[in-house]
Amino acid sequence: MGGSGSVSVHDDEVSFWRSASSRFFERALAADFPGFCICFGHQLLAQHLGAEVVQDATRREAGTVYIDVVGDDALLAGRAPRFFAHQGHSDHVVAPPKGTTLLARNDSSPVQALRVDGTRTYSTQFHPDFLATEARQRYAEIFGTGDDAQVAMAKFDPEQDKDTMTLLAEWWDSL
């Protein structure tokens, strides 16, 4: 389950997503169906599991930012202790929900990655699904090309693509 662009989990127009996603998560987790949730999907999953998701402009991340690995999960072990990933969000999960393991964090977003305990379901606040050039293009399509957007787009660093561009394939291969 991927990102949403500029839509927040708190927006009224996505109330049907919250309900439908909750039903999906219940069934998928009960059946041990593997899952990988990214950004908006990460927030929906965490919210479903009981976590608080807040919108906080002071913690907004746009561009390539550092991520600190916590714990010793095999999926992120090769990236420890710190790697860089592409971001674009103002909502964040306040704390890992019960029944999950925190895998990564940073100062702006205390839950950058988690795993649902006893399952093959992972989620990340960051975007392992975009290269920097793709993130810039998506950002421009959503937020335009004004001065603020240009500043944010300049923060996507293609030199850091190597840190996350294989993460989804590695997760898939681990299944």
Side-chain angles (χ1 to χ4, degrees):
M1 183 176 290
S4 68
S6 62
V7 178
S8 166
V9 296
H10 301 292
D11 291 346
D12 290 338
E13 64 264 27
V14 297
S15 62
F16 68 95
W17 286 3
R18 285 189 298 270
S19 177
S21 296
S22 187
R23 289 189 306 274
F24 172 79
F25 290 138
E26 280 297 320
R27 291 179 180 144
L29 292 170
D32 193 26
F33 188 79
F36 202 109
C37 301
I38 299 168
C39 196
F40 181 75
H42 166 76
Q43 296 159 10
L44 279 175
L45 174 65
Q47 194 174 55
H48 166 75
L49 295 172
E52 180 181 10
V53 178
V54 298
Q55 192 169 54
D56 184 349
T58 66
R59 291 176 172 237
R60 181 179 180 182
E61 292 181 297
T64 305
V65 302
Y66 76 89
I67 308 291
D68 289 325
V69 175
V70 298
D72 61 356
D73 189 86
L75 187 62
L76 295 179
R79 292 166 178 83
R82 177 175 276 187
F83 66 96
F84 292 85
H86 309 307
Q87 298 266 17
H89 68 96
S90 58
D91 288 359
H92 71 274
V93 179
V94 174
K98 185 177 179 180
T100 66
T101 299
L102 178 67
L103 304 178
R105 63 168 310 281
N106 70 10
D107 289 339
S108 294
S109 188
V111 183
Q112 284 286 349
L114 59 83
R115 182 188 69 246
V116 179
D117 295 341
T119 75
R120 299 175 293 167
T121 298
Y122 286 78
S123 69
T124 62
Q125 181 60 69
F126 59 88
H127 279 274
D129 53 335
F130 289 139
L131 299 174
T133 54
E134 296 164 337
R136 282 186 194 136
Q137 179 182 359
R138 183 171 185 238
Y139 202 88
E141 289 170 0
I142 294 167
F143 299 106
T145 56
D147 291 343
D148 289 343
Q150 289 295 323
V151 168
M153 287 187 295
K155 293 179 182 177
F156 289 103
D157 181 2
E159 294 293 318
Q160 303 304 328
D161 286 346
K162 66 188 179 307
D163 278 347
T164 58
M165 66 186 230
T166 61
L167 187 64
L168 291 172
E170 291 168 24
W171 166 75
W172 183 257
D173 290 345
S174 76
L175 298 176

